[in-house]
Amino acid sequence: MQRTLCIIKPDAVEKNLQGKIIKIILDAGFQILNLKPVRLTRKQAEKFYEIHKDKMFYSELVEFMTSGSCIPIALVKENAVNDFRELIGATNPAEAKEGTIRKLYADDKQRNAVHGSDSVENGIKEVNFFFPEIELTM
Ligand code: UDP
Ligand code: MG
């Protein structure tokens, strides 16, 4: 079993898509260990996306992620990391496969509805960024 972190991003929360997105995730066989709405501070968003700090899009990304509430969701499943990346689709919705969450609901490559961890190691780290172990129950 692997853990992976989903975040329903502010664009999707603003459009009230959280129910539809969570249904897709559950129908795909993921189990939710925990979820909670949060409004990220600038510091928290900067820390979460630290690996992108030298990228051109970093400051706008931080701006976007702090623009409204988002919903981190701790997920568990066999092969969760890769399966969740498949389920969400490419970063840019124009390149995402039919039926993926980003194809369905993303506006563009920044406002792309959901986050998904990109490795097993980051799945664990990112789940722990938002949830203490004691709050991660099956
Ligand atoms: N992003 C952006 N412009 C880009 C690439 C990425 O605004 O050219 C944003 C987008 O919200 C993306 C996030 O930065 O989801 C993290 O980028 P990454 O390359 O890690 O994409 P992801 O892993 O989310 O598909
Ligand atoms: Mg990424």
Side-chain angles (χ1 to χ4, degrees):
M1 295 289 263
Q2 286 175 2
R3 285 180 179 178
T4 194
L5 184 79
C6 167
I7 303 176
I8 302 180
K9 294 185 180 182
D11 59 317
V13 173
E14 213 167 87
K15 289 185 275 183
N16 264 322
L17 292 168
Q18 48 273 51
K20 285 178 175 153
I21 291 171
I22 289 167
K23 176 162 173 32
I24 293 172
I25 293 169
L26 293 175
D27 287 350
F30 292 85
Q31 235 185 302
I32 292 175
L33 295 177
N34 204 345
L35 84 174
K36 63 182 168 196
V38 298
R39 178 77 183 256
L40 291 178
T41 64
R42 169 168 295 275
K43 246 195 184 133
Q44 289 166 332
E46 283 172 354
K47 178 92 184 123
F48 185 79
Y49 280 114
E50 202 167 30
I51 47 159
H52 294 307
K53 67 173 183 298
D54 297 327
K55 305 262 173 63
M56 295 275 289
F57 60 79
Y58 181 66
S59 64
E60 280 188 14
L61 173 61
V62 168
E63 200 67 41
F64 162 55
M65 290 301 293
T66 57
S67 68
S69 295
C70 63
I71 308 175
I73 309 176
L75 297 173
V76 69
K77 190 177 123 20
E78 226 169 82
N79 202 37
V81 172
N82 284 331
D83 286 0
F84 193 67
R85 294 293 303 200
E86 278 291 310
L87 190 67
I88 69 179
T91 309
N92 184 347
E95 290 158 17
K97 286 187 201 147
E98 287 302 325
T100 59
I101 294 172
R102 283 169 167 171
K103 182 70 176 188
L104 286 166
Y105 299 127
D107 295 334
D108 53 47
K109 71 178 178 202
Q110 179 194 70
R111 299 171 62 85
N112 59 4
V114 281
H115 168 83
S117 305
D118 65 1
S119 68
V120 173
E121 192 195 347
N122 283 337
I124 295 164
K125 258 172 61 180
E126 291 178 356
V127 164
N128 290 331
F129 185 91
F130 290 103
F131 303 100
E133 196 55 41
I134 197 167
E135 293 178 9
L136 294 164
T137 49
M138 295 274 260

